[in-house]
Amino acid sequence: MEVIKTYFENMPTLHRSMLLVGGISFFWLIESGVPLFKFGYNKWKHAWPNLFFTGTTVIINFALAFLLLQTSFWVEENQFGLINWLPEMPLWAYIAIGVLFLDFFGAYLAHLVEHKFIPLWMVHLVHHSDHKVDTTTANRHHPIESVIRFAFTLLGVFLVGTPFYIIMLYQSLSLIFTQFTHANIKMPRTLDKVLSYVIVSPDMHKVHHHNLLPYTDSNFGNIFSIWDRLLGTYMELDRDKIVYGVDTFPDEVKNSNLAELLKQPFQGYRKPTNLEKL
């Protein structure tokens, strides 16, 4: 564990870039070989707006990273936050609890709030309006959402009291998991189900991208499935019945156009047209 701590304390920027590019490339190849859905689409044309938003997310996170750094230094120096108030524990437990609760604040809670607060939903809508979810959808976030997500992560660092190396580990795991769960890959159903008891699996997350409520408002987790299961937001839907997109913004042409996507948060809220029967 000391080796892991040392590595993430000094993780080179190049390694973070390799993780992003390498992850997309890896899952891109796998989903080309064993796709869940055979979209029959031009993958590069579909990827263009998603990769643009991936770029803006990287730029925003890099520009604001100093806030994470300063906050992590402060909580560590002042022994502030949840994991600093717990009894002394082994390093592995300290890291595990830190990552677990950062996942709650930085992913689960942020995601839940975005779905429940209309102005934030309109921003988050850009992520959901992809009609062909694949690994490039992972970071399809409007720049405003990137700032919102960063704010929740910063809140998590403050309340959990995580040092910088745990932040780096969490963000690395978060990146890999979001690429994995969005990838258009067909895993054995049993394996996917078993994984979903501990982590967010591809089939579990795909339910969240179904175009109708109440499925859209479920399975908010990113790394761990525990938060959805504990807080009553876990749902299942046969993957063969999943239809991607959002019922209130059904125009796939507009939802694939970068200019339209940048304007999407400001087009006005549309009430859901249907509630799928359970």
Side-chain angles (χ1 to χ4, degrees):
M1 294 307 294
E2 285 290 346
V3 173
I4 293 175
K5 177 183 176 181
T6 301
Y7 172 74
F8 283 102
E9 278 179 335
N10 304 282
M11 187 177 186
T13 302
L14 176 61
H15 289 194
R16 299 179 68 183
S17 301
M18 290 172 62
L19 197 62
L20 173 64
V21 177
I24 291 176
S25 302
F26 176 72
F27 290 116
W28 182 302
L29 290 172
I30 291 181
E31 66 185 16
S32 296
V34 284
L36 175 60
F37 297 111
K38 295 181 180 180
F39 292 130
Y41 63 152
N42 182 321
K43 285 177 71 75
W44 280 107
K45 183 178 180 181
H46 167 261
W48 152 239
N50 296 352
L51 294 177
F52 173 86
F53 287 124
T54 298
T56 58
T57 298
V58 169
I59 292 169
I60 289 169
N61 286 335
F62 183 78
L64 299 176
F66 74 97
L67 293 175
L68 283 180
L69 185 63
Q70 293 303 315
T71 303
S72 68
F73 286 165
W74 187 89
V75 295
E76 193 170 17
E77 182 179 338
N78 292 276
Q79 288 295 288
F80 183 86
L82 173 65
I83 58 176
N84 294 312
W85 298 333
L86 294 173
E88 188 173 346
M89 65 187 78
L91 180 59
W92 68 264
Y94 184 74
I95 292 174
I97 293 173
V99 172
L100 180 66
F101 280 93
L102 272 187
D103 187 48
F104 172 75
F105 287 104
Y108 179 87
L109 183 61
H111 205 170
L112 177 68
V113 171
E114 286 177 331
H115 276 252
K116 301 303 180 182
F117 188 48
I118 289 176
L120 297 188
W121 163 246
M122 291 305 300
V123 174
H124 182 53
L125 178 66
V126 171
H127 180 68
H128 277 267
S129 60
D130 195 340
H131 295 256
K132 294 179 173 62
V133 173
D134 65 15
T135 194
T136 68
T137 310
N139 289 296
R140 176 182 160 125
H141 298 301
H142 193 281
I144 297 174
E145 180 174 8
S146 297
V147 175
I148 294 168
R149 289 291 184 114
F150 181 90
F152 274 92
T153 301
L154 191 64
L155 174 66
V157 170
F158 180 71
L159 295 179
V160 181
T162 44
F164 191 65
Y165 70 90
I166 292 183
I167 298 172
M168 295 298 292
L169 173 59
Y170 162 70
Q171 290 189 328
S172 298
L173 289 173
S174 181
L175 177 60
I176 293 170
F177 267 87
T178 195
Q179 292 171 344
F180 169 57
T181 57
H182 287 87
N184 181 37
I185 55 177
K186 189 174 186 177
M187 289 179 58
R189 293 176 188 269
T190 301
L191 175 59
D192 192 284
K193 180 65 175 179
V194 170
L195 289 176
S196 74
Y197 285 108
V198 181
I199 62 173
V200 178
S201 64
D203 284 2
M204 175 184 167
H205 187 71
K206 297 301 194 311
V207 174
H208 178 77
H209 279 272
H210 187 52
N211 69 336
L212 295 176
L213 293 172
Y215 297 104
T216 314
D217 284 354
S218 70
N219 300 359
F220 297 108
N222 185 34
I223 299 176
F224 301 104
S225 61
I226 182 175
W227 301 119
D228 283 296
R229 292 183 178 277
L230 284 178
L231 300 174
T233 53
Y234 175 80
M235 292 190 73
E236 294 183 2
L237 177 65
D238 189 300
R239 65 192 186 188
D240 293 332
K241 297 180 179 179
I242 294 174
V243 178
Y244 294 136
V246 181
D247 61 330
T248 52
F249 285 80
D251 191 330
E252 186 172 357
V253 174
K254 285 188 175 181
N255 294 338
S256 303
N257 182 280
L258 180 58
E260 292 292 332
L261 290 171
L262 287 169
K263 295 185 295 182
Q264 200 165 61
F266 314 105
Q267 293 181 4
Y269 176 71
R270 302 175 187 176
K271 193 172 182 179
T273 59
N274 194 10
L275 181 67
E276 189 154 308
K277 293 181 180 180
L278 299 178

